[in-house]
Amino acid sequence: MIVFYEDRNFQGRSYECSSDFADMSSYLSRCHSCRVERGCFMVYDRTNFMGNQYFLRRGEYSDYMSMMGMSDCIRSCRMIPMYRGNYRMRIYERENFGGQMYELMDDCDNIMDRYRMSNCMSCNVMDGHWLMYEQPHYRGRMMYMRPGEYRSFMNMGMGSMRFMSMRRIMDSCY
C-alpha cells in the first residue's frame, strides 16, 4: 500500500492506494510526498502510466521531487506484484525483435560489456518483473517491464531512449 500526500513532509490531503491508479488528479490536485507501507510501486509524472518513471520500495519519501530529481508531481502509479519464480527476458538490438538477441536470466549492469551490444530497442519478458535503465550500472531514466512483448520502445512514450542495463525486481525489494 502507498499513501500519497499533496504537500511535502506528509502534509495536506492524502490518498491511500493499493493497486494501479491511472489518474490521481481526481483525488489530489498535486502530490509532493508519499509513504510506501507495503510492496513496491512505479510512479509516473504523467497520467496513464506515461512519462518518466520512478521505482519506490517500502519507505518514506518526504520530498521525492528533490530526492529523485523529478520535475513534476506524481500523476499515476502502478503496483508491482510480488513474484517468486524464474526470471527470463530476451533483449534485441533493433525494433520488432530484430538484430542480435540475447537471453537474460539475471541482472546485467552493462549490455555493451557483456554482449558487445550497443543498443536495445525491443524485448520479450517471459518471466518476472524487470527494471531497464538508460545507462550502464543501473543509472539514468528507467522503465518497468512486466511479462509481455515490447516490439518498440519508441512507441511507448520514451522517445529515443535506449536501455543499457537491466535489473530483476526481486523479493529483496519488498
Side-chain angles (χ1 to χ4, degrees):
M1 176 177 31
I2 187 168
V3 182
F4 297 102
Y5 298 87
E6 281 188 328
D7 300 318
R8 290 172 179 81
N9 298 313
F10 319 110
Q11 301 296 308
R13 290 181 39 217
S14 65
Y15 179 76
E16 281 186 17
C17 183
S18 57
S19 61
D20 294 356
F21 197 49
D23 186 359
M24 295 178 55
S25 64
S26 57
Y27 292 93
L28 297 175
S29 59
R30 62 189 182 279
C31 176
H32 288 289
S33 60
C34 63
R35 183 178 280 131
V36 179
E37 296 180 0
R38 278 191 312 278
C40 295
F41 289 83
M42 288 305 291
V43 295
Y44 304 80
D45 63 5
R46 290 178 36 209
T47 58
N48 298 313
F49 319 112
M50 299 296 286
N52 292 310
Q53 306 180 18
Y54 303 89
F55 177 72
L56 300 180
R57 63 182 63 181
R58 189 175 174 187
E60 295 187 341
Y61 302 86
S62 61
D63 183 7
Y64 63 80
M65 288 176 73
S66 63
M67 290 167 56
M68 295 182 229
M70 276 184 89
S71 60
D72 202 357
C73 301
I74 293 174
R75 302 285 184 210
S76 57
C77 76
R78 190 179 295 281
M79 188 197 74
I80 300 172
M82 187 173 286
Y83 176 78
R84 288 196 174 117
N86 295 323
Y87 287 78
R88 200 163 59 117
M89 172 172 57
R90 289 188 179 140
I91 58 173
Y92 298 85
E93 182 180 34
R94 293 197 294 273
E95 293 180 311
N96 294 312
F97 313 125
Q100 295 180 57
M101 182 276 291
Y102 295 98
E103 188 165 298
L104 295 160
M105 297 177 81
D106 60 354
D107 299 349
C108 177
D109 69 347
N110 190 331
I111 63 170
M112 185 64 167
D113 288 351
R114 187 186 286 186
Y115 301 117
R116 300 288 173 243
M117 190 173 176
S118 62
N119 215 349
C120 173
M121 298 293 289
S122 58
C123 75
N124 182 1
V125 177
M126 280 93 64
D127 298 303
H129 297 260
W130 298 74
L131 290 176
M132 296 180 72
Y133 295 83
E134 183 178 37
Q135 299 170 16
H137 309 291
Y138 319 115
R139 297 185 186 274
R141 293 184 300 167
M142 65 180 78
M143 182 174 247
Y144 167 53
M145 307 301 245
R146 51 190 180 172
E149 293 185 347
Y150 301 89
R151 294 185 169 275
S152 171
F153 299 142
M154 300 280 280
N155 297 338
M156 297 174 65
M158 299 306 285
S160 61
M161 187 168 156
R162 54 187 209 160
F163 297 102
M164 299 304 292
S165 55
M166 298 82 188
R167 173 179 277 164
R168 298 163 294 165
I169 302 175
M170 309 276 291
D171 280 354
S172 58
C173 295
Y174 295 87

